[in-house]
Structures are given as structure tokens and as C-alpha cells.
Amino acid sequence: QVQLVESGGGLVQAGGSVTLSCEVSGTTSIRSITAMSWFRQSPGKERELVAAIFSGGTTKYDDSVMGRFTVSRDIAYNSVYLQMNNLKPEDTAVYYCNANLGYTDYWGQGTRVTVSS
């Protein structure tokens, strides 16, 4: 059973920065996971993909966060991170970590980020 635990959310002013962490346990190295992703969900909206890092190390970003957010991983700590810079009020959401193993995926419990204007 893969378990994901997010941390790092909170209240931040527009233009500020926050780093989210996702610690992965119950599996082998995250390097073997097909894709580790960050999703977010705002009230009344569907959950959307924000950023992903694939097993080979390549990354993918939603256009709305390109140039502001950076997804990375630390193999030694089996963790994935989302560095969020120049935050905007529209980035306010609950952010979820996702592990896609190809045949199934797992979700964390989510961490809330609130950006005040």
C-alpha cells in the first residue's frame, strides 16, 4: 500500500512563495513510479493537474503555472516537492499529491494553500 503525506500549505500573500512536500512510503523508490504529480482543486471546480515529474525525470506543467512553479524530487528522501513562486489569488486551492504506478494510482490527503490579495 502506497501512502502519500503532503505538507507545507498555508496562508501566503500574493507574490509570495510556498513549497509543498509529498513524502511517499510503502513502495520502492519514487524513481520507479511512472509519474508523481501535483493536482489542485478549488471550490466549485474540478481537480486539475498542476505539475508532474516522470520516472525518467522529465517534467510537465499546466500553462497557468509555467515559469512560476517547479516540481522536483529527492530520491534519497522518497519525496516530491512543488516550489510555488509569485503566487496569485487564483492559486488558492487544496493541493494533492498523486502517485501513478501505471495500473493504479494513489492520492494524499491534500494540503490547503490560500493566497491573499
Side-chain angles (χ1 to χ4, degrees), residues 14-106:
S17 298
V18 166
T19 299
L20 305 182
S21 301
C22 173
E23 184 175 355
V24 183
S25 61
T27 184
T28 56
S29 170
I30 57 174
R31 186 161 41 195
S32 65
I33 295 178
T34 303
M36 291 295 306
S37 304
W38 288 96
F39 287 74
R40 67 185 178 188
Q41 188 167 20
S42 304
K45 295 186 177 181
E46 293 187 356
R47 193 171 295 188
E48 62 178 1
L49 176 66
V50 175
I53 183 164
F54 299 94
S55 57
T58 57
T59 57
K60 174 183 176 180
Y61 297 92
D62 183 77
D63 288 345
S64 66
V65 306
M66 186 77 70
R68 299 188 299 122
F69 290 11
T70 302
V71 60
S72 62
R73 64 186 181 184
D74 189 324
I75 302 299
Y77 288 94
N78 233 31
S79 294
V80 178
Y81 308 96
L82 185 66
Q83 172 70 41
M84 305 188 292
N85 298 326
N86 191 22
L87 283 161
K88 304 176 181 180
E90 52 263 42
D91 294 317
T92 295
V94 177
Y95 284 73
Y96 297 91
C97 182
N98 172 275
N100 185 304
L101 276 66
Y103 55 90
T104 189
D105 58 9
Y106 296 90

